[in-house]
């Protein structure tokens, strides 16, 4: 049981990261209006959010710039058009996927960019490539996190090896990423323990990015913060791929540090997120995501099921069990 | 951190209680079709559910029988029309509210009734009346639970006194009820510890009934089972008052005892719960319930907000903060 003192206290080291544009962009191909993005930026400032992730730095020779909104590519000038000089306490982040980002050419030096943090996303088997990206970003002056995806079906020995490797890089934060929404809080506690062990050894921080396939994104996030995880991802109204993420409005309501305010989050969800949903942009917990989460599978089949407007959930269950 | 052995093991003492008709009935005034109730009964049998709660034994001199479906009153003959002699492993339950049930006349002896379990629902300040109802039910031969509602704003000393009082009655199960959906898992752990202390002393079991205002009904339920709580309430598709309850389909997916099967639950949700929702029966997590949960308030204002089809969430927040 957690120390009772923690029920009222808070760690000043906790950081809240808004991933709405990045993970939410996977739902609507990054087609957010400028009004949406500007309001989101102002909301994050008012709510006390620490980092705002604008999107991906996707390789333009792999992804057609005419088929996605601009936040798939996050050109520095597009960010500047929203934030100006960003003379605020809110720091800015982008995600760079291993193998899907021409980081050497597309990521400028931090002194020439509005971006503060590069989030390198990798699978366990691409850690060596992630290391190169981390070193590149750190050499350019950025804060750097490494988001190890899909760990719910990884071997603990491999995970430990990855953390030991990353520990020797200039990365600042190791991220627990439950890509499949398959993990229960009691498993998060054990995984956080492993991450925190390596973080303590190498002087790093630990973060968590959760998915809501089993309605546990918020629960897993607050489990993790109770276990010593400092960096917490949320998205407004849970917007994110498939079942979505930890709701920013739940997270801000939970955190005890008075710098965080839930009211701007409520205003933003009312004005923008409810509108997106009314327009037919679809994400969030539903039976098909529960099933892939339960079976510890990638959500791609459930996303396809959703896109096809299928409602034969039992048939879908039989299909994915057969694939298991 | 919980013992690692528990991650794969299970306690045979765990019981799953389906509260769909009872808590869900609060959403649609108990107007379920007979086909729905018969399919629910068969689903519970196939899914390995231990108890099915049919509804309330509400006082007919307080509630107009023409204004509610029959499961508000749960006449024995109405239950028999669904279950016949109930020659199955599924036990049947009803809820009897303190002050809203003529239990002396309306609850027959168990030998003359299809019901197995009487769930006495009480607030802390009506415990003496609950004790009389518990004794009446036990004398009539029933299993009895006592569901202490709205404990999130109670004093621990009062709760301990209530549990000590109940410990001396023939009640079988003490229930933790998070009526306002206000509790976080770390608080559930502490409350479960108190309940389990008294349960051990008096030879009782402990149960949990959670609400989903902060998307924690499932998380709080699995936290509790990890803490030694044996009786777990769920409802299909979370159907229940306001934000609803712990989803039966999540709970059955989580529990490791092979007697539980999630597939019949998926089939039932597909056939019946999605239909109810398409017909406009409304329940489940939304911003207004998050707010009352966060402020540890009764959800009645949020239910009213929902019924009035309001979508001015920020205004609502200001209203309920002002009432705080």
């Amino acid at each position: 049981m957690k120390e009772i003192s923690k029920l009222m206290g808070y760690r000043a080291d906790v950081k809240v990261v808004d991933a709405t544009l990045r993970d939410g962009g996977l739902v609507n191909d990054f087609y957010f209006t400028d009004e949406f993005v500007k309001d989101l930026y102002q909301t994050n400032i008012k709510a006390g959010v620490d980092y705002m992730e604008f999107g991906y730095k996707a390789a333009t020779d792999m992804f057609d710039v005419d088929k996605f909104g601009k936040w798939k590519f996050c050109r520095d000038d597009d960010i500047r058009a929203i934030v100006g000089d960003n003379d605020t306490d809110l720091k800015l982040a982008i995600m760079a996927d291993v193998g899907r980002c021409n980081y050497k050419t597309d990521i400028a030096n931090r002194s020439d960019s509005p971006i503060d943090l590069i989030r390198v996303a990798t699978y366990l088997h691409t850690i060596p490539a992630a290391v190169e990206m981390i070193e590149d970003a750190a050499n350019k002056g950025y804060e750097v996190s490494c988001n190890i995806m899909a760990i719910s079906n990884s071997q603990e020995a491999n995970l430990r090896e990855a953390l030991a490797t990353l520990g020797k890089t200039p990365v600042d934060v190791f991220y627990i990423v439950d890509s499949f929404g398959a993990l229960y809080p009691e498993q998060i506690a054990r995984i956080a323990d492993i991450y925190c062990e390596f973080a303590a050894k190498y002087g790093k921080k630990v973060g968590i990015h959760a998915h809501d396939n089993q309605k546990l994104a918020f629960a897993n996030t607050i489990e993790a913060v109770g276990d010593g995880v400092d960096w917490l991802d949320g998205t407004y109204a849970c917007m994110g791929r498939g079942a979505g993420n930890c709701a920013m409005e739940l997270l801000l309501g939970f955190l005890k540090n008075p710098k965080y305010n839930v009211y701007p989050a409520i205003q933003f969800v009312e004005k923008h997120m409810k509108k997106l949903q009314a327009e037919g942009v679809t994400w969030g917990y539903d039976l098909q995501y529960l099933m892939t989460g339960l079976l510890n599978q990638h959500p791609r089949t459930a996303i396809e099921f959703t896109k096809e407007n299928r409602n034969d959930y039992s048939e879908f269950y039989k299909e994915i069990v057969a694939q298991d």
Side-chain angles (χ1 to χ4, degrees), chain A:
Chain A
M1 205 177 294
K2 297 182 175 55
E3 286 172 47
I4 198 157
S5 63
K6 287 188 183 167
L7 296 180
M8 285 293 158
Y10 65 86
R11 289 198 305 281
D13 282 352
V14 166
K15 305 288 180 197
V16 173
V17 180
D18 165 37
T20 306
L21 290 182
R22 204 269 310 158
D23 211 322
L26 295 169
V27 180
N28 69 349
D29 290 338
F30 305 88
Y31 285 114
F32 295 100
T33 65
D34 283 356
E35 187 204 3
F36 181 101
V37 180
K38 284 177 181 169
D39 282 359
L40 180 60
Y41 173 69
Q42 292 299 332
T43 297
N44 282 327
I45 292 167
K46 287 185 219 155
V49 167
D50 299 281
Y51 289 81
M52 173 171 168
E53 190 180 35
F54 269 75
Y56 287 96
K57 273 278 188 196
T60 51
D61 54 356
M62 286 185 74
F63 298 97
D64 186 342
V65 294
D66 294 329
K67 289 190 178 157
F68 296 96
K70 56 191 166 191
W71 308 112
K72 174 95 174 171
F73 306 100
C74 284
R75 292 172 56 245
D76 285 352
D77 285 348
D78 287 331
I79 296 176
R80 277 198 200 90
I82 303 293
V83 307
D85 293 332
N86 186 34
D87 188 17
T88 75
D89 290 334
L90 177 67
K91 291 186 175 179
L92 311 185
I94 58 96
M95 182 162 278
D97 273 350
V98 167
R100 287 179 268 184
C101 172
N102 297 321
Y103 59 94
K104 287 180 189 170
T105 53
D106 289 353
I107 297 179
N109 285 324
R110 184 178 182 181
S111 53
D112 300 322
S113 168
I115 298 165
D116 302 286
L117 166 70
I118 306 290
R119 309 219 299 170
V120 174
T122 179
Y123 290 104
L124 270 182
H125 65 275
T126 53
I127 287 285
V131 169
E132 287 195 359
M133 291 173 72
I134 289 164
E135 287 169 350
D136 179 82
N139 286 338
K140 287 171 176 167
Y142 293 98
E143 299 176 49
V144 193
S145 72
C146 185
N147 298 35
I148 313 175
M149 299 183 288
I151 56 163
S152 58
N153 59 9
S154 68
Q155 307 283 320
E156 184 175 322
N158 292 347
L159 184 59
R160 287 178 173 274
E161 183 62 22
L163 293 170
T165 302
L166 292 171
K168 293 164 199 132
T169 74
V171 77
D172 301 292
V173 191
F174 303 145
Y175 252 85
I176 301 167
V177 186
D178 180 18
S179 304
F180 300 168
L183 296 169
Y184 295 110
E186 61 201 37
Q187 296 171 297
I188 292 289
R190 286 174 196 289
I191 291 165
D193 204 44
I194 297 168
Y195 273 67
C196 288
E197 173 194 330
F198 284 89
K201 181 170 176 187
Y202 293 103
K204 312 296 189 187
K205 293 290 186 182
V206 180
I208 182 163
H209 179 86
H211 277 275
D212 217 17
N213 295 60
Q214 300 195 72
K215 267 201 190 180
L216 291 171
F218 174 53
N220 282 340
T221 303
I222 64 179
E223 168 64 44
V225 73
D227 299 331
V229 170
D230 279 328
W231 288 54
L232 312 175
D233 283 15
T235 66
Y236 291 90
C238 306
M239 188 181 188
R241 187 169 70 171
N245 301 109
C246 170
M248 180 65 84
E249 54 276 20
L250 286 169
L251 186 57
L252 294 172
F254 171 80
L255 292 170
K256 307 287 188 298
N257 187 332
K259 73 172 277 200
Y260 297 120
N261 300 305
V262 72
Y263 185 59
I266 290 169
Q267 291 179 296
F268 186 82
V269 173
E270 175 182 338
K271 180 174 177 188
H272 286 290
M273 306 313 288
K274 294 287 180 185
K275 188 164 158 246
L276 279 187
Q277 289 172 316
E279 288 166 1
V281 183
T282 303
W283 72 89
Y285 171 82
D286 199 356
L287 269 186
Q288 64 275 34
Y289 298 116
L290 177 163
M291 298 179 210
T292 58
L294 195 56
L295 297 172
N296 195 9
Q297 293 184 0
H298 193 287
R300 67 176 72 84
T301 53
I303 292 168
E304 196 62 26
F305 178 94
T306 309
K307 278 193 181 158
E308 291 172 358
N309 291 310
R310 286 176 60 178
N311 49 27
D312 54 336
Y313 298 92
S314 316
E315 279 303 311
F316 178 70
Y317 186 72
K318 288 190 271 185
E319 289 168 20
I320 64 169
V321 165
Q323 285 175 11
D324 215 21

